[in-house]
């Protein structure tokens, strides 16, 4: 089974949804037969880090929501994250553009480290309050999951993997993704949002059952029509 996940490293529900899917997979009998591939998506392609301005202020200005209301909303999100064993530090979080982080993630995926880099980047942003647009930060984090620092540095100084990131975003638009996280199972079933683990469990069972059920052909012979046919015991010839 193949699961494609469109997400962004600064999307709070993407981390929550990721953990809920993983929890469902842990309870799934055939989890070893599942491949998860992370796809790039940007919630705010124009995002820019402004030194001296905290996350609450930035979010308030971008969304036109009063500062107090922003803090209440993020506190509620933090509680949902905590229920999944995640720690969100909104007080020190640094708003940033994630395009370069996605480029590094594409390189990591090519080397078989897509799952590791995704988890590391999400944890770095939400828990450690790292600046995900800073190249030195991305190089350091990539090295922690086994990538070569110099190779990552060269990628960030070039246009490498830009097209791969843009292709993911284009495909997202084509298949109707309007928000993330967005999960696609076997290129056939879609689940949007950070659904409860129980929902993911139901989807896993349904997709697995369909993928592995025996295919039985439906007869299109006209009703009440006799015909001639052969079996391994001989041929039954009907008179015309």
């Amino acid at each position: 089974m193949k699961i494609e996940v469109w997400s962004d490293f600064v999307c709070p529900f993407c981390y929550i949804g990721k953990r809920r899917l993983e929890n469902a997979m842990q309870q799934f009998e055939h989890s070893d037969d599942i491949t998860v591939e992370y796809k790039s998506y940007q919630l705010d392609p124009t995002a820019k880090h402004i030194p001296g301005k905290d996350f609450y202020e930035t979010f308030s200005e971008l969304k036109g929501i009063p500062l107090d209301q922003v803090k209440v909303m993020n506190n509620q999100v933090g509680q949902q994250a905590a229920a999944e064993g995640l720690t969100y530090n909104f007080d020190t979080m640094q708003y940033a553009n994630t395009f370069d982080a996605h480029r590094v993630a594409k390189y990591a995926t090519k080397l078989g480290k897509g799952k590791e880099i995704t988890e590391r980047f999400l944890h770095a942003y939400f828990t450690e309050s790292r600046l995900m647009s800073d190249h030195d930060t991305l190089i350091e984090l990539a090295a922690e999951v086994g990538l070569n620092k110099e190779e990552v540095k060269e990628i960030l100084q070039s246009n490498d993997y830009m097209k791969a990131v843009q292709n993911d975003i284009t495909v997202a638009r084509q298949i109707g993704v309007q928000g993330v996280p967005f999960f696609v199972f076997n290129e056939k079933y879609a689940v949007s949002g950070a659904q409860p683990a129980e929902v993911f469990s139901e989807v896993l069972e349904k997709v697995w059952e369909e993928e592995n059920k025996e295919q039985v052909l439906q007869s299109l012979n006209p009703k009440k029509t006799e015909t001639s046919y052969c079996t391994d015991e001989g041929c039954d010839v009907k008179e015309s």
Side-chain angles (χ1 to χ4, degrees), residues 33-215:
D33 297 309
I34 297 176
T35 300
V36 180
E37 181 179 344
Y38 292 95
K39 301 287 189 177
S40 301
Y41 192 90
Q42 280 196 290
L43 289 173
D44 184 4
T46 64
K48 183 178 180 180
H49 174 66
I50 302 176
K53 182 176 290 189
D54 66 24
F55 177 84
Y56 297 121
E57 293 172 324
T58 302
F59 194 86
S60 175
E61 291 179 8
L62 284 172
K63 303 299 181 181
I65 302 174
L67 194 59
D68 289 344
Q69 187 177 340
V70 169
K71 291 183 178 181
V72 171
M73 290 170 54
N74 285 324
N75 181 58
Q76 293 172 343
V77 174
Q79 291 177 6
Q80 291 190 47
E84 304 302 329
L86 304 173
T87 300
Y88 282 11
N89 292 311
F90 287 105
D91 289 345
T92 54
M93 208 171 286
Q94 302 187 73
Y95 195 78
N97 192 293
T98 57
F99 191 80
D100 283 341
H102 281 296
R103 291 203 293 134
V104 174
K106 281 298 178 188
Y107 173 61
T109 298
K110 180 181 178 181
L111 299 182
K113 295 282 188 178
K115 183 172 74 171
E116 291 83 355
I117 200 73
T118 298
E119 176 68 25
R120 188 66 190 95
F121 279 0
L122 287 166
H123 183 79
Y125 180 73
F126 288 104
T127 304
E128 300 173 352
S129 302
R130 306 291 291 274
L131 181 56
M132 299 307 295
S133 57
D134 178 69
H135 285 189
D136 289 338
T137 298
L138 296 177
I139 292 169
E140 178 185 336
L141 296 173
E144 290 180 14
V145 301
L147 302 187
N148 182 280
K149 283 188 174 183
E150 289 303 317
E151 292 177 358
V152 174
K153 183 177 180 180
E154 289 178 7
I155 288 169
L156 290 170
Q157 292 176 341
S158 70
N159 294 325
D160 290 352
Y161 298 96
M162 288 181 61
K163 192 170 184 180
V165 173
Q166 291 165 342
N167 283 344
D168 278 358
I169 296 172
T170 298
V171 171
R173 294 195 191 99
Q174 292 173 343
I175 64 176
V177 177
Q178 296 181 335
V180 287
F182 192 87
F183 307 82
V184 176
F185 296 75
N186 280 354
E187 300 183 345
K188 186 173 183 180
Y189 296 99
V191 174
S192 60
Q195 299 291 339
E198 293 78 12
V199 172
F200 286 120
S201 293
E202 292 175 5
V203 175
L204 290 172
E205 293 290 350
K206 177 180 177 61
V207 175
W208 180 266
E209 181 180 350
E210 177 174 297
E211 186 180 63
N212 292 277
K213 71 180 179 181
E214 293 184 7
Q215 297 294 325

